[in-house]
Amino acid sequence: MSKLVKSRVLMEEAEKDLEHGSYNKAVSASYFATRLLVEHLIRGLKTSKDDKIANALQRRLEERIGEERARDIKERYLKLFMRRKIADHKPYLFSKDEAEWTVLEAKRLMEEIMEALSPR
């Protein structure tokens, strides 16, 4: 299975998790959907570290959409990552509103990244 297919499946699962009240799972799945999309679009990544992936994303985006927008997308990506870490590792439960925002933000981010990095 390709990373792109897995990314789409994870986003569908995040949306189902919202419907079922599994808010922490929705937060985590939406981050990983975004990460797999980035890994698919940036071929040859030599790291699995989230912050390094974010740096690679910013560099690649700067080539296409400029420094300011690239920095904004990187910061939003890292915010999703931080939420994922909280959902998976901290004694905190995401609310419905927080999870819905996270899934929506991941979808928006994925669209922006796909638009910027897809082959022309």
Side-chain angles (χ1 to χ4, degrees):
M1 172 183 304
S2 76
K3 289 181 179 184
L4 182 59
V5 171
K6 178 84 181 247
S7 172
R8 290 179 179 146
V9 168
L10 286 174
M11 186 50 69
E12 290 171 7
E13 289 178 355
E15 291 171 332
K16 288 177 186 171
D17 288 334
L18 284 178
E19 293 172 14
H20 294 110
S22 299
Y23 304 131
N24 293 294
K25 286 174 60 180
V27 167
S28 186
S30 63
Y31 166 72
F32 281 112
T34 307
R35 177 180 163 158
L36 285 173
L37 175 67
V38 170
E39 290 179 6
H40 168 76
L41 292 170
I42 303 177
R43 310 257 185 212
L45 276 173
K46 300 198 185 332
T47 184
S48 61
K49 296 187 182 233
D50 297 277
D51 59 330
K52 304 269 189 229
I53 292 170
N55 291 336
L57 173 63
Q58 181 178 358
R59 284 191 303 275
R60 187 66 55 89
L61 287 170
E62 284 175 353
E63 299 168 5
R64 299 273 184 110
I65 61 173
E67 188 176 323
E68 187 176 330
R69 279 194 60 214
R71 189 177 328 108
D72 174 65
I73 288 173
K74 175 189 174 185
E75 289 171 7
R76 291 164 55 206
Y77 176 87
L78 288 173
K79 187 170 187 173
L80 290 180
F81 171 59
M82 295 306 295
R83 286 175 166 245
R84 194 281 306 174
K85 285 190 349 186
I86 292 167
D88 290 348
H89 301 292
K90 301 290 182 189
Y92 179 83
L93 298 175
F94 279 88
S95 69
K96 179 181 180 182
D97 288 343
E98 291 170 316
E100 286 175 341
W101 180 90
T102 304
V103 171
L104 182 60
E105 174 67 358
K107 289 171 74 173
R108 285 190 296 245
L109 204 51
M110 289 172 71
E111 287 175 15
E112 290 177 48
I113 293 168
M114 182 72 98
E115 183 180 313
L117 296 183
S118 289
R120 296 180 176 169

